Amino acid sequence: EIAEARNLPFPAAHDCNSPARHSAFSNEHELCEFIIKLRNLSGGKPVGIKLCMGHPEEFVSLVRAFLEHEESGGFPDFITIDGSEGGTGAAPPEFSNSIGTPLNEGLSFAHACLVGAGFRNPEDKSKSKVNLIASGKVGSGFSMYRNMALGADVCNAARSFLFSLGCIQALKCNTNTCPTGITTQNKDLSWGLDPETKSVRVANFHRETIKACTEIMEATGVESCADIRPHHVCRRVGLGQSRTLEEVFLHLQVEQGALLEGEGPDRLQACWNLESYVRSM
């Protein structure tokens, strides 16, 4: 079935490696045009993109393109920020362990850029033009709460749900020999993935994790996920010293539209201005 879907001969005669680029677009402006095309073809359904933060200037360039195409709707309804912590058991270890920006840094930077460009409302995230989704080792109520404090509207989870299914991280995802039956088509192994029992475990994990996040919100006096702010979470930075996330990630102090006026936090504004310099060369 997989070979048929990918128009490959069966049995396989060679490796099938996904390309490292998209054929539909080659730069940020073509991406904006592709977003418009997808939205029109889907009858107005939400269109989003997913990325792991690399060079900050590249994301700035992307946000600038959103601004240029804003009137025609050439910006995504949502952006999923994946942390470098992510990666399946089929991912190359060097990539899953070392490539990309960690979620906290990547998510907060994306949120700050979009706030500074006017696409997000830091006071009430529900009024933002572009929604942010956080992905990367989300496995507890507090991890959800922290991500929302860093700017996320929604959290994605994969690994934690695999654990609820019984994953033991055997790192055999791409070998068809997963001992727990989760990532295999081998009938001698897949019997371990019993829908009747595992579906209950997954539902329980989801329900209790959401409940834990809700309880934290109640304890901190927050009525809505959209109201969770960086100052609601503190981090210990040294012996006897703690700082709020707003003090740790200074770019989160940006005000809505400030980058357009040249009044953003120093390092964030410098990144925004550097992109202006690079684009003019």
Side-chain angles (χ1 to χ4, degrees), residues 39 47 66-67 70-71 75-79 114 117-121 124-132 153 256 260:
R39 190 177 288 119
V47 178
F66 296 161
L67 285 170
E70 184 176 5
E71 290 188 6
F75 60 91
D77 297 286
F78 63 91
I79 300 176
L114 292 168
F119 283 106
R120 285 184 62 74
N121 186 328
D124 185 353
K125 297 192 289 288
S126 66
K127 298 179 181 179
S128 299
K129 296 179 181 178
V130 178
N131 292 317
L132 274 181
D153 299 287
Q256 190 170 7
L260 305 179

Side-chain angles (χ1 to χ4, degrees), residues 11-107:
H14 54 78
D15 291 340
C16 177
N17 296 315
S18 300
R21 63 190 62 83
H22 295 281
S23 60
F25 52 87
S26 59
N27 57 51
E28 60 270 28
H29 294 285
E30 291 180 5
L31 169 61
C32 292
E33 294 171 359
F34 188 60
I35 288 173
I36 297 173
K37 181 179 180 180
L38 288 179
R39 190 177 288 119
N40 291 335
L41 290 174
S42 65
K45 288 184 172 61
V47 178
I49 61 176
K50 181 179 181 180
L51 58 90
C52 180
M53 192 70 68
H55 296 295
E57 293 82 3
E58 293 179 349
F59 187 78
V60 167
S61 179
L62 191 60
V63 176
R64 284 182 172 276
F66 296 161
L67 285 170
E68 294 183 31
H69 295 267
E70 184 176 5
E71 290 188 6
S72 59
F75 60 91
D77 297 286
F78 63 91
I79 300 176
T80 301
I81 302 296
D82 202 355
S84 62
E85 304 93 333
T88 69
E94 292 293 349
F95 274 70
S96 61
N97 294 337
S98 308
I99 303 298
T101 304
L103 180 59
N104 289 354
E105 288 78 2
L107 173 61

Side-chain angles (χ1 to χ4, degrees), residues 186-234:
N186 187 329
K187 294 182 179 179
D188 292 332
L189 297 172
S190 61
W191 67 268
L193 188 61
D194 181 9
E196 290 189 8
T197 58
K198 297 301 177 68
S199 61
V200 175
R201 295 179 57 177
V202 171
N204 288 343
F205 172 74
H206 179 268
R207 182 184 62 254
E208 294 302 317
T209 305
I210 297 296
K211 178 182 177 182
C213 182
T214 303
E215 290 175 341
I216 296 174
M217 291 172 58
E218 293 172 349
T220 54
V222 176
E223 295 184 359
S224 168
C225 296
D227 298 328
I228 302 176
R229 303 286 301 283
H231 66 261
H232 286 117
V233 178
C234 289

Side-chain angles (χ1 to χ4, degrees), residues 88-90 168-180 183-184 189:
T88 69
I168 60 173
Q169 291 189 294
L171 304 181
K172 300 292 184 180
C173 303
N174 59 324
T175 65
N176 204 37
T177 59
C178 172
T180 61
T183 61
T184 179
L189 297 172

